[in-house]
Amino acid sequence: SSGPSGSSGSQETAGASGGGDAKKPLKMGFIYATSTQNPFQEMAFGAKAAADQDGNVTLNQAAPVGVNGPAQVQLFQSAIRNSPDGIGLETLTPDLFVRPINQATDQNIPMAAVDTAPPPGTKVGLFVGNSNTELGVALGEEFIKHVPEDATGDVVIGNDIPGLQLLNQRIEGLVSVIKAKRPKLTIKGPFDAKSEPTDNFNAWQGIVKANPKAIAFLGVGGQDGVSLPLIKQQTGRDFLAGSADIPPEALQAVKKGQLFALSSPEHWLKGYIAMRLLIDSKRTGKPVPTGWWNPGTLVVNKDNVDEIIKRQTDETSRAAYFKAVVDKQLADPNTYLKPIGQAN
Amino acid sequence: MSVDDVGTKGTPALDAPDVPGERPGGGLAALARRVPAMESMSVLVATIALVVVIGILHPDFLSAAQLLDTLQASVYVGLLAGGMAFLISMREIDLSVGSMFGLSLISMGLLINQGLSPWLAGLLGVVLGGVLGLVNALVVQYIGIPTIVATLATLSVYRGLSLALSEGQQVTGMPVEDSFFTILGGKIFGVYTSVWVLIIFAIVLTVVLRFTSFGYRVRSIGSNPDAATFSGISANRVRMQVLVLVGLLAGVAAALGLAFFTSGDPNIGTGFELQAIAAAVIGGTPLRGGTATVVGAIFGAILLAVVGSGLQYFNIPVNWSSFATGAVILLAVSLDSLLRRRRRRKDEALGL
Amino acid sequence: MSVDDVGTKGTPALDAPDVPGERPGGGLAALARRVPAMESMSVLVATIALVVVIGILHPDFLSAAQLLDTLQASVYVGLLAGGMAFLISMREIDLSVGSMFGLSLISMGLLINQGLSPWLAGLLGVVLGGVLGLVNALVVQYIGIPTIVATLATLSVYRGLSLALSEGQQVTGMPVEDSFFTILGGKIFGVYTSVWVLIIFAIVLTVVLRFTSFGYRVRSIGSNPDAATFSGISANRVRMQVLVLVGLLAGVAAALGLAFFTSGDPNIGTGFELQAIAAAVIGGTPLRGGTATVVGAIFGAILLAVVGSGLQYFNIPVNWSSFATGAVILLAVSLDSLLRRRRRRKDEALGL
Amino acid sequence: MAILEARNIGKTYGGVVALKDAGIHIEAGSVHALLGENGAGKSTLIKIMSGAVTPDRGGITLNGKQVRFRNTGDAARHGVAVVSQELSLFPDLDILANLYPVTGPRRGPFLDRRAMAEAAAPVLDQLGLNVPVRTRLGDLSLAQRQLVEIARALLTKPRVLILDEPTSALEQASADRLLNVVRVLREHQVGVVFVSHILEEVMALSDVITVLRNGQVVMEAQDRKSLSMAEVVTAMLGDKTVQVQEKVTLTAPQETAGGELRIVNAGSQGALSEVSLTVRPGEILGLAGLAGSGHQATLELVAGLRRADSGEVRLPSGRRAPNGLRRSIAAGVAVVSGDRRRFGLMLDKPIWENIAQVRAVALNRDGLFLRRTALRTRARDHGERMSLRCSSVDQRTGLLSGGNQQKVVLAKWLDADPSVLLLDDPTRGVDVGAKAEMHTLIRSATQTGTVTMLCSTDVEELASLCDRVAVFYRGRVAAILEGESLTQHNILETMNTGES
Ligand SMILES: Nc1ncnc2c1ncn2[C@@H]1O[C@H](COP(=O)(O)OP(=O)(O)OP(=O)(O)O)[C@@H](O)[C@H]1O
Ligand SMILES: Nc1ncnc2c1ncn2[C@@H]1O[C@H](COP(=O)(O)OP(=O)(O)OP(=O)(O)O)[C@@H](O)[C@H]1O
Ligand SMILES: [Mg+2]
Ligand SMILES: [Mg+2]
């Protein structure tokens, strides 16, 4: 695939001068949370794009079937064996990885934590991830645009996977905005909205029925953006609905106006940048940058939804769209890099 | 089982002169007359009790719309549980039902996107379900491994296929105006079509199980495999038939699901296998085999659905919801087993 | 049962293969000599074959470190599968093992955060596992519902508790320098401590199952429940003991898990129940009950672990990994069943 | 000429030779008795003739044509029906369904259960099985299930009917009813094969007799009239001889012995009223009666399987009989059930494990760790004492012949040397020779002061083995026969009339 080739030109020369090797075949790995859910695949695709673009990288990608911390630890341990040139680790349960990560860094395997910050007690310098608090805030900001200052009523919030750190952060962000800017609204929840599609639908259906007077139902997981519009459509009830992540069906709902907005963590970008930084350092011999690289959040609403739908068509369309973004970000790392400690 | 009760065995319900009731038609009448004795009664009562309790605490729950939605929510697991009851009654378990459901659904969606008429696609999807069941059967028979192991493997094979085919993406862009979606996804006489379909299958499957030689063969195998083989019932042949039946049911559920959700997610149906097994067992189909109640299995699925939607009314804090779910299920099945007690005592009474 | 036993009506020769095997200690020697006949052999061979094939395609896989990691990864499911084998051999299934594992692990973590000494916390966590098993048993016995239903409910009750206790957060901030973490989480003689523990339990559980009257009781019940009851064996008591045993094993697995991961995730262990059942059945413990092989169950877990880490080497396209997993499992068990069938034919030929 | 004929059949199970060179030919309208000691090969030969087992050698001809039945259903469709020794019924299905395995009369795609019921009715009351056809088979007594199996065979309107120990579980009355049914079939030119260890009924019923020994025919189709029972027995046992048990008149209660077992006017709803019995140590008390008359209930009472609503039961130890089977067993009661396959044995386990099940496994008497050698040696001792026929004590019990399985059941209880021995048809399906040996064993067990109570469908056994026999009628003890008055005739009369 023709990925963005941002600083490849300068890369060659740098490779020549620096200790890196621009040609040497690289064996790298990208281990992610689960192969069965789209957000994580987006990151995997991003990582693959970066590898393909270099052209000489064997990327061992692997993920457990279904979110399963211990199983992922096992896969990561395998990656330590067969991906000496660098590993990107995307996980929902970072704290399980303390030992294996140290095992990897002890063997001087370059590492990048993706999506969730590296756990304390590890020596991983680079974390590429969006701020889920920021994502929640962004969704909140979009939400209040549709709610008059003095509005009253219930706002019901759902959580697809109780016990999932990043969803909690999103909710915190979302709630903070609403509390601050629409104090008259009462926030209910978060309630368990389940993640399996039919369960998620049934859960929301129950929640909607159980809260007849609520003015808005907000989710922060991928499936919510699919279930809520369907419920609006079927019950004919009118309420504000918004969610995070950008599954195709949800994008369509934004287009139809059934969702006021989707707040996208830009998964593809995370995967791409993490892998790209690892590869570049190998090629240029420069050390992997350290700190928290936040590629940012994208708010999808009526204004940009068509563009995003187009971008999500396939790998090429994604790569094409992101080329500009990637070039911009890689051009001046410092604006995107913050101390890891600040990651949220 | 003690010699003493010669002739006195059998509950009055059993003694009821229902020889006329043996005709399948009248058979249903007979069933109706035997209702109090039916295995599935206790779970029905438990479910109703649960609904009433929730209704007392939160009257909105008793709204027709809510109850209908709850019924609708139980359709998919309900259909799978019906098939699972057949399997369990012959001492087999199929763990791949959830994945068969998902794969059929995704395939239908893709076929429709290929421009196939939704009805045709739906039909093919159901057939595909049957084929997947057949594959399970062939694996079990020719590789010679237990059904539970074979289907554990196909569980992820089929799930993997729906991910591969859909490239991990949702399948969207269905022609939602097509009659397939408006009819199967809509309502008839104010009740979801899928619910009607569930009712029809409850009846058909019950009749098949109780009044056809096929049904008798299924239960015979579960009741005494050796004797069944000796008397010329081919366990392999019957197992194959039942596994295909389960696949077809998964296909039907998939068609209803696609019509209702008007889009397909490759993860749809994950975890349905345990729910279906639970529903069947809660409904009164024991794992030791030999007997089954399709109606009970479906009531079991409804019970689980009631627990699900009912809890939404209690504003359970997110971190407590899974605890609450388990607790309520426990309560419901306790009531159910309380109602069963008397019958079970009789069964357990050993004699010389 | 060995060849020379046959046809010679009750000659002393009968005992030859076993004599030293009678003392549990020497029993192992005897086991060793009977190895070729052991149920668990075929799955071991299948596993080795799988390792070799992967190793040929990707030599790195054969690195000691990799194989050790794979072993280590199989410990948790392995321990659960060992207990599950006991249960299955008495025709019961416990679906709550994954949640018991999770809840024990989380509780240990929280206790340690409360400032309890890790070793003490670990001990309490193991005890908690036993208590959870006891709760399962009491529910089954006094509410009188099938174990599979009861444990399906406690599956979400226990999971819910670990979410509630941890408020949905990961439990972190363990004193990783404490000997609990360095020893249990570390290596002894270059091998993970958890692997040593697994080996010890494999031996102990095997001895319990094969050489103690308790083990005989367990298998008697599975072999013919009525006959067992009629011989004065209390199915209820034995079931309780086994369910507690399973809980304790979950607790031990949890202690090892916490020590290795040095943190707890409230969702940890989700889905372990099916893996444990699969491992036990693949290992050669049939669902019909009556027999069990702990070693086989553990090999089964190792086989699943090998599939897991092995696939990572093949750089499977994102969307095909789930498919590949299932396919490889299918291959492995096919080989297993092929070997099994050959031995079974031999047994039948001997009229044993 | 023969309807069904089996010629030089050979069947070997691994090491075990079940049939060397056996055969039998069945004439229309004649009852052909197939005799032999336990494990002689009768059932195997029958299984082969009915398609349940395929022979290694030899062939079967039906009306002169070579045939090979795929399974018993297949045989049934060719007019060959078998009542197998180990009932092949479906406990979870109702009687009707059991009467028509595989498939019955149809109406369209459905089974016509009404037609089934109507067809079954006459056969069922011919056999005197008056139970609603919807009853779950599992709720029936062994005898009733035996009758269902027979009815199933009759319903196929067979031209050849093969009965493998059909009466072993039946009490006198229903046995006689069955024998009459067989006579009727003979009238209708049905060929009947009749296997039984109860020689009286064999001599009374059969026209010709074939005897197997060690899988070979040692007496081929002899006319019964030309034979005496003694000749038949010698043919069965060969050089072995039956040491006819001299009934030891009870030696006065030994000091070694424990106390006596007392049942003091016990009553149990619907089954028993005012039953008072005392059994002295070393005594064998027989319990006789028609089905449901209370003799079985009395055993259940002592076994703790049944509550006494009134009165009490005191064990030899003097303590009240505990409630519940498990406690009773722990208190030294042994319950030898007649239904060996359901309540007696683990068919998939080796013989020695079955024999160890009570003493070592259930009662934990051998300590925590069980030593296999010890257990197997004990098992083999028991086996030799009752001349158990097996390839080794490691053989799967399910592979033993019926009678030999029965021996294992008795062995497993004697192994626990109980203080109270409750026997329900302990010698069901055991051949004359072994039966005598088992009686000797039971006797010797009692010599150590064991209190023994015996229920048996075999009145001859009651008369010959017991010191006293309590005959039940309608839930009460109608008479206690002993000494001179203890004769088969008296027992039968009292059973049926209630007066002696
Ligand atoms: N499936 C089998 N596998 C191994 N041995 C068997 C099997 N079936 C029968 N046998 C052996 O074959 C021999 C004959 O058995 P069979 O059941 O025919 O005896 P039988 O004449 O019916 O005895 P009984 O009068 O006790 O019923 C016995 O030694 C038995 O152990
Ligand atoms: N009386 C019988 N005894 C033994 N086997 C039989 C008997 N009748 C039918 N079978 C076998 O049962 C199988 C099915 O026979 P049957 O006529 O019941 O088919 P069916 O009931 O129409 O099948 P299905 O129930 O699947 O439609 C066939 O393989 C046949 O060999
Ligand atoms: Mg026999
Ligand atoms: Mg016999």
Side-chain angles (χ1 to χ4, degrees):
Chain A
S1 74
S2 69
S5 54
S7 53
S8 52
S10 62
Q11 195 181 59
E12 306 295 339
T13 52
S17 60
D21 179 341
K23 287 279 155 285
K24 168 163 162 292
L26 298 176
K27 293 168 81 183
M28 306 183 102
F30 186 78
I31 305 300
Y32 55 109
T34 171
S35 61
T36 53
Q37 285 173 33
N38 179 254
F40 309 100
Q41 288 179 11
E42 293 263 337
M43 294 185 241
F45 283 135
K48 194 96 179 71
D52 293 347
Q53 178 212 342
D54 176 273
N56 206 6
V57 174
T58 333
L59 185 66
N60 289 315
Q61 291 187 308
V65 179
V67 180
N68 179 343
Q72 198 192 353
V73 168
Q74 185 191 349
L75 293 175
F76 180 79
Q77 288 176 315
S78 304
I80 297 175
R81 316 274 163 242
N82 62 21
S83 309
D85 299 317
I87 303 175
L89 172 63
E90 187 285 320
T91 177
L92 298 175
T93 57
D95 295 286
L96 300 185
F97 285 78
V98 175
R99 273 177 208 280
I101 287 179
N102 290 333
Q103 210 176 336
T105 44
D106 293 350
Q107 299 177 25
N108 302 316
I109 300 177
M111 275 208 59
V114 183
D115 202 29
T116 48
T122 57
K123 296 188 286 308
V124 177
L126 176 62
F127 163 45
V128 182
N130 62 295
S131 158
N132 285 298
T133 323
E134 172 190 300
L135 179 140
V137 170
L139 185 61
E141 295 294 349
E142 277 298 312
F143 170 64
I144 59 178
K145 286 184 196 160
H146 300 75
V147 187
E149 291 287 349
D150 55 358
T152 60
D154 296 348
V155 176
V156 184
I157 295 175
N159 178 344
D160 290 6
I161 308 174
L164 197 53
Q165 190 58 26
L166 64 94
L167 292 186
N168 294 338
Q169 292 169 336
R170 292 179 183 182
I171 291 171
E172 282 164 24
L174 174 60
V175 171
S176 65
V177 177
I178 302 177
K179 277 218 173 85
K181 306 215 168 137
R182 293 291 182 273
K184 294 206 178 63
L185 294 177
T186 33
I187 292 168
K188 297 182 74 178
F191 301 127
D192 186 356
K194 311 263 191 317
S195 50
E196 191 280 326
T198 50
D199 294 347
N200 180 269
F201 175 85
N202 294 330
W204 274 117
Q205 201 177 39
I207 295 173
V208 171
K209 282 257 182 336
N211 297 279
K213 287 178 291 304
I215 64 160
F217 294 88
L218 306 177
V220 290
Q223 202 57 38
D224 308 325
V226 182
S227 298
L228 286 169
L230 193 56
I231 292 171
K232 282 176 90 167
Q233 190 174 312
Q234 293 190 339
T235 59
R237 255 187 73 183
D238 187 36
F239 50 78
L240 281 169
S243 168
D245 285 326
I246 49 170
E249 193 69 359
L251 288 172
Q252 293 303 328
V254 174
K255 193 174 165 67
K256 292 196 209 116
Q258 295 166 319
L259 293 176
F260 61 79
L262 290 168
S263 194
S264 165
E266 298 299 76
H267 295 299
W268 192 96
L269 212 45
K270 289 180 279 182
Y272 179 89
I273 290 182
M275 224 54 224
R276 174 70 182 274
L277 291 174
L278 288 175
I279 295 171
D280 285 356
S281 100
K282 274 286 170 190
R283 294 303 181 205
T284 60
K286 298 213 198 73
V288 180
T290 61
W292 168 35
W293 186 301
N294 178 358
T297 304
L298 173 78
V299 171
V300 181
N301 55 24
K302 262 197 152 19
D303 312 334
N304 62 350
V305 65
D306 294 310
E307 184 188 9
I308 300 306
I309 290 176
K310 198 162 134 294
R311 147 188 139 185
Q312 292 300 95
T313 334
D314 58 25
E315 273 317 279
T316 11
S317 59
R318 281 191 185 80
Y321 171 97
F322 283 116
K323 181 177 190 311
V325 189
V326 169
D327 293 349
K328 181 155 152 299
Q329 295 203 0
L330 291 175
D332 60 349
N334 303 341
T335 47
Y336 295 93
L337 276 171
K338 293 199 199 67
I340 275 194
Q342 296 176 18
N344 55 2
Chain B
M1 278 121 282
S2 76
V3 180
D4 309 49
D5 13 29
V6 174
T8 69
K9 276 278 183 188
T11 66
L14 290 173
D15 298 343
D18 43 15
V19 176
E22 302 305 344
R23 272 172 287 90
L28 298 176
L31 274 182
R33 262 185 286 103
R34 286 206 307 282
V35 154
M38 273 167 55
E39 266 296 311
S40 44
M41 272 317 288
S42 50
V43 59
L44 175 58
V45 175
T47 313
I48 292 173
L50 193 60
V51 172
V52 171
V53 172
I54 299 174
I56 291 170
L57 300 170
H58 294 276
D60 322 359
F61 184 72
L62 296 181
S63 73
Q66 173 60 69
L67 295 179
L68 265 181
D69 287 346
T70 311
L71 269 183
Q72 196 280 335
S74 69
V75 167
Y76 315 111
V77 172
L79 283 169
L80 298 178
M84 196 65 80
F86 270 72
L87 264 181
I88 293 178
S89 78
M90 61 183 292
R91 303 186 188 177
E92 303 277 12
I93 283 184
D94 183 342
L95 292 177
S96 70
V97 286
S99 301
M100 292 196 286
F101 170 76
L103 182 50
S104 308
L105 193 148
I106 287 295
S107 316
M108 289 180 201
L110 292 172
L111 287 173
I112 294 176
N113 280 348
Q114 296 305 311
L116 228 64
S117 115
W119 285 105
L120 180 55
L123 184 64
L124 290 177
V126 174
V127 174
L128 174 62
V131 173
L132 297 177
L134 182 62
V135 172
N136 284 338
L138 296 175
V139 170
V140 170
Q141 186 162 338
Y142 292 107
I143 300 188
I145 53 180
T147 311
I148 191 169
V149 176
T151 53
L152 184 91
T154 52
L155 159 79
S156 54
V157 170
Y158 296 161
R159 178 64 60 196
L161 280 176
S162 40
L163 284 160
L165 293 177
S166 66
E167 284 153 356
Q169 299 283 341
Q170 289 178 342
V171 178
T172 61
M174 299 291 109
V176 289
E177 295 71 25
D178 185 284
S179 56
F180 177 82
F181 294 92
T182 52
I183 295 179
L184 286 189
K187 296 185 176 184
I188 298 176
F189 307 129
V191 176
Y192 289 103
T193 313
S194 54
V195 174
W196 289 117
V197 175
L198 181 64
I199 293 171
I200 292 169
F201 271 96
I203 295 171
V204 172
L205 290 177
T206 303
V207 169
V208 169
L209 187 67
R210 299 213 176 294
F211 300 107
T212 70
S213 63
F214 170 64
Y216 278 104
R217 285 201 285 274
V218 171
R219 286 177 289 144
S220 304
I221 291 171
S223 187
N224 183 350
D226 302 343
T229 322
F230 277 156
S231 46
I233 299 171
S234 149
N236 283 333
R237 176 170 175 275
V238 176
R239 193 197 302 109
M240 181 170 300
Q241 293 167 329
V242 175
L243 283 171
V244 171
L245 172 70
V246 172
L248 288 170
L249 287 167
V252 173
L256 296 172
L258 182 64
F260 183 80
F261 293 112
T262 66
S263 75
D265 184 292
N267 289 305
I268 198 163
T270 310
F272 277 16
E273 51 279 351
L274 278 190
Q275 294 183 48
I277 295 168
V281 177
I282 291 174
T285 301
L287 287 174
R288 69 173 147 66
T291 62
T293 151
V294 174
V295 179
I298 290 171
F299 286 154
I302 295 175
L303 184 141
L304 293 177
V306 170
V307 174
S309 48
L311 279 176
Q312 302 300 352
Y313 284 76
F314 292 83
N315 297 346
I316 311 282
V318 65
N319 289 327
W320 284 93
S321 77
S322 141
F323 173 83
T325 311
V328 175
I329 292 179
L330 213 46
L331 276 176
V333 292
S334 314
L335 174 55
D336 168 40
S337 104
L338 220 73
L339 297 164
R340 273 182 219 282
R341 267 275 148 86
R342 288 178 65 258
R343 187 188 298 110
R344 206 182 47 248
R345 278 246 183 69
K346 180 165 146 289
D347 281 2
E348 277 174 2
L350 293 171
L352 291 166
Chain C
M1 268 148 250
S2 74
V3 188
D4 48 334
D5 294 4
V6 180
T8 57
K9 177 174 175 177
T11 65
L14 283 179
D15 303 322
D18 271 2
V19 179
E22 296 326 322
R23 272 160 293 86
L28 299 175
L31 276 181
R33 254 182 288 95
R34 285 208 303 281
V35 153
M38 272 166 53
E39 262 300 307
S40 44
M41 272 319 286
S42 51
V43 58
L44 175 58
V45 175
T47 312
I48 292 173
L50 192 60
V51 172
V52 170
V53 172
I54 300 175
I56 290 171
L57 300 171
H58 295 275
D60 328 356
F61 184 74
L62 295 182
S63 74
Q66 171 63 72
L67 296 178
L68 263 181
D69 286 346
T70 310
L71 268 183
Q72 194 276 337
S74 71
V75 167
Y76 315 112
V77 172
L79 283 169
L80 299 177
M84 196 65 80
F86 271 72
L87 265 180
I88 294 178
S89 78
M90 62 183 292
R91 301 190 188 175
E92 303 277 11
I93 282 184
D94 183 341
L95 293 177
S96 70
V97 287
S99 301
M100 292 195 287
F101 170 77
L103 182 50
S104 307
L105 194 151
I106 286 294
S107 315
M108 290 179 200
L110 292 172
L111 287 173
I112 294 175
N113 280 348
Q114 294 304 311
L116 227 63
S117 113
W119 285 105
L120 179 56
L123 184 65
L124 290 177
V126 175
V127 174
L128 174 63
V131 173
L132 297 177
L134 182 62
V135 171
N136 284 338
L138 295 174
V139 170
V140 170
Q141 187 160 340
Y142 292 107
I143 301 187
I145 52 181
T147 311
I148 190 169
V149 176
T151 52
L152 184 92
T154 51
L155 159 80
S156 52
V157 170
Y158 296 161
R159 178 63 59 198
L161 280 176
S162 40
L163 280 163
L165 293 177
S166 65
E167 282 146 3
Q169 308 285 333
Q170 302 198 335
V171 178
T172 60
M174 299 289 109
V176 292
E177 294 71 25
D178 185 284
S179 55
F180 177 82
F181 294 93
T182 51
I183 296 179
L184 286 190
K187 296 185 176 184
I188 297 176
F189 308 128
V191 175
Y192 288 101
T193 314
S194 54
V195 174
W196 289 116
V197 174
L198 182 64
I199 293 171
I200 291 169
F201 272 95
I203 295 169
V204 172
L205 290 178
T206 303
V207 170
V208 170
L209 186 68
R210 298 213 179 292
F211 298 106
T212 69
S213 54
F214 170 68
Y216 279 88
R217 279 198 284 279
V218 171
R219 286 176 288 134
S220 302
I221 292 172
S223 175
N224 179 350
D226 291 344
T229 317
F230 243 79
S231 309
I233 297 171
S234 158
N236 280 334
R237 182 182 301 170
V238 176
R239 193 198 302 110
M240 179 171 301
Q241 293 164 329
V242 175
L243 284 171
V244 171
L245 173 69
V246 172
L248 288 170
L249 288 168
V252 172
L256 296 173
L258 182 64
F260 180 79
F261 296 123
T262 66
S263 77
D265 180 274
N267 287 318
I268 198 168
T270 310
F272 276 13
E273 51 279 353
L274 277 191
Q275 294 181 50
I277 296 169
V281 176
I282 291 174
T285 301
L287 287 175
R288 73 177 137 66
T291 62
T293 151
V294 174
V295 178
I298 291 172
F299 287 154
I302 295 175
L303 183 137
L304 293 177
V306 170
V307 174
S309 14
L311 277 179
Q312 202 279 339
Y313 282 72
F314 289 83
N315 182 11
I316 312 277
V318 174
N319 289 323
W320 287 92
S321 64
S322 157
F323 173 84
T325 311
V328 175
I329 292 179
L330 211 47
L331 276 176
V333 292
S334 314
L335 174 56
D336 168 40
S337 104
L338 217 78
L339 298 162
R340 224 176 267 288
R341 231 183 288 174
R342 279 190 42 242
R343 209 192 42 250
R344 209 173 289 126
R345 277 211 214 83
K346 208 181 95 219
D347 275 7
E348 272 156 17
L350 295 174
L352 290 175
Chain D
M1 72 132 210
I3 323 174
L4 184 65
E5 178 163 17
R7 271 213 213 78
N8 12 57
I9 302 292
K11 180 70 182 177
T12 315
Y13 291 103
V16 191
V17 179
L19 291 172
K20 272 200 207 67
D21 173 24
I24 185 172
H25 60 88
I26 301 148
E27 310 287 342
S30 107
V31 176
H32 196 140
L34 178 60
L35 306 183
E37 54 183 332
N38 297 127
K42 306 180 293 297
S43 298
T44 307
L45 181 57
I46 284 168
K47 286 180 192 148
I48 286 169
M49 287 193 293
S50 61
V53 170
T54 47
D56 304 340
R57 274 180 286 97
I60 300 166
T61 57
L62 183 63
N63 300 319
K65 286 195 307 299
Q66 194 77 20
V67 288
R68 177 174 281 271
F69 302 131
R70 276 178 288 109
N71 50 54
T72 55
D74 187 18
R77 269 164 301 179
H78 287 82
V80 178
V82 62
V83 173
S84 57
Q85 175 176 15
E86 309 304 354
L87 309 182
S88 58
L89 297 167
F90 307 109
D92 303 281
L93 304 187
D94 64 5
I95 293 180
L96 205 47
N98 271 282
L99 291 176
Y100 295 88
V102 184
T103 170
R106 304 287 197 83
R107 174 176 308 219
F110 305 112
L111 285 168
D112 186 345
R113 285 177 54 94
R114 171 191 230 162
M116 287 158 75
E118 279 162 1
V123 178
L124 288 179
D125 56 53
Q126 216 183 355
L127 292 169
L129 181 68
N130 45 12
V131 185
V133 289
R134 296 197 130 281
T135 316
R136 236 179 107 259
L137 188 96
D139 295 344
L140 298 183
S141 72
L142 181 62
Q144 291 169 315
R145 277 178 275 150
Q146 178 81 65
L147 291 177
V148 171
E149 172 113 2
I150 294 164
R152 175 168 81 182
L154 295 179
L155 278 169
T156 62
K157 303 246 174 306
R159 278 170 304 138
V160 175
L161 175 62
I162 306 179
L163 301 162
D164 194 354
E165 302 191 25
T167 59
S168 63
L170 300 183
E171 56 166 305
Q172 199 73 39
S174 36
D176 294 341
R177 232 184 270 111
L178 173 61
L179 300 191
N180 290 328
V181 172
V182 172
R183 292 193 180 91
V184 175
L185 290 175
R186 173 167 53 190
E187 298 309 310
H188 292 74
Q189 291 308 301
V190 175
V192 179
V193 179
F194 187 82
V195 177
S196 175
H197 291 295
I198 305 172
L199 296 180
E200 292 77 4
E201 69 188 17
V202 170
M203 299 311 273
L205 180 68
S206 59
D207 304 307
V208 285
I209 296 181
T210 291
V211 177
L212 292 180
R213 195 192 313 151
N214 300 331
Q216 270 173 313
V217 178
V218 290
M219 176 191 287
E220 184 164 21
Q222 289 270 348
D223 182 349
R224 185 205 85 237
K225 301 187 195 62
S226 70
L227 288 169
S228 74
M229 194 178 301
E231 288 170 303
V232 177
V233 173
T234 4
M236 285 171 60
L237 304 185
D239 42 22
K240 286 201 230 101
T241 53
V242 193
Q243 67 281 46
V244 183
Q245 173 72 20
E246 252 326 306
K247 187 186 289 181
V248 288
T249 41
L250 181 57
T251 51
Q254 302 96 326
E255 295 63 36
T256 61
E260 14 178 68
L261 177 125
R262 279 204 199 72
I263 302 176
V264 186
N265 57 50
S268 174
Q269 26 78 334
L272 292 174
S273 47
E274 294 160 17
V275 172
S276 293
L277 290 169
T278 305
V279 197
R280 281 164 290 152
E283 178 183 35
I284 301 179
L285 175 69
L287 305 173
L290 299 173
S293 62
H295 57 304
Q296 295 260 356
T298 308
L299 272 198
E300 293 174 9
L301 198 64
V302 180
L305 283 164
R306 173 184 288 277
R307 258 179 199 289
D309 308 333
S310 60
E312 63 167 15
V313 179
R314 287 208 175 270
L315 297 179
S317 57
R319 66 175 283 199
R320 250 166 165 284
N323 242 318
L325 182 61
R326 211 182 85 256
R327 289 206 209 78
S328 315
I329 293 172
V333 178
V335 192
V336 182
S337 161
D339 191 345
R340 56 176 171 247
R341 291 177 80 84
R342 173 145 184 231
F343 297 126
L345 295 170
M346 300 179 286
L347 296 170
D348 60 339
K349 293 245 178 274
I351 294 165
W352 66 267
E353 267 193 66
N354 275 284
I355 294 183
Q357 191 179 25
V358 179
R359 188 167 147 291
V361 175
L363 301 179
N364 235 338
R365 291 231 197 102
D366 291 8
L368 180 57
F369 291 101
L370 299 186
R371 309 183 68 256
R372 229 172 263 202
T373 341
L375 295 180
R376 285 145 107 236
T377 323
R378 293 180 65 93
R380 208 169 34 255
D381 296 347
H382 286 290
E384 268 149 17
R385 229 176 293 136
M386 40 186 81
S387 64
L388 181 69
R389 175 191 280 251
C390 60
S391 62
S392 83
V393 289
D394 292 326
Q395 189 175 20
R396 253 168 54 206
T397 314
L399 306 186
L400 291 180
S401 76
N404 285 303
Q405 289 178 9
Q406 190 62 46
K407 295 178 194 172
V408 174
V409 179
L410 182 63
K412 104 179 194 182
W413 283 106
L414 292 183
D415 188 53
D417 37 49
S419 62
V420 177
L421 182 58
L422 305 179
L423 303 163
D424 181 26
D425 263 341
T427 59
R428 180 182 150 228
V430 173
D431 67 52
V432 280
K435 191 179 234 163
E437 290 159 0
M438 285 170 82
H439 286 173
T440 323
L441 279 175
I442 295 171
R443 261 292 159 211
S444 54
T446 63
Q447 290 315 305
T448 66
T450 310
V451 171
T452 310
M453 298 173 85
L454 168 71
C455 278
S456 180
T457 51
D458 175 356
V459 179
E460 190 281 331
E461 180 167 66
L462 286 168
S464 64
L465 182 60
C466 300
D467 304 302
R468 297 183 299 154
V469 172
V471 186
F472 284 72
Y473 190 74
R474 304 236 163 98
R476 297 168 179 277
V477 179
I480 296 186
L481 307 173
E482 59 187 310
E484 294 312 303
S485 67
L486 176 45
T487 65
Q488 291 192 50
H489 174 275
N490 288 354
I491 296 174
L492 281 169
E493 188 177 358
T494 324
M495 273 167 59
N496 291 291
T497 61
E499 293 106 36
S500 52

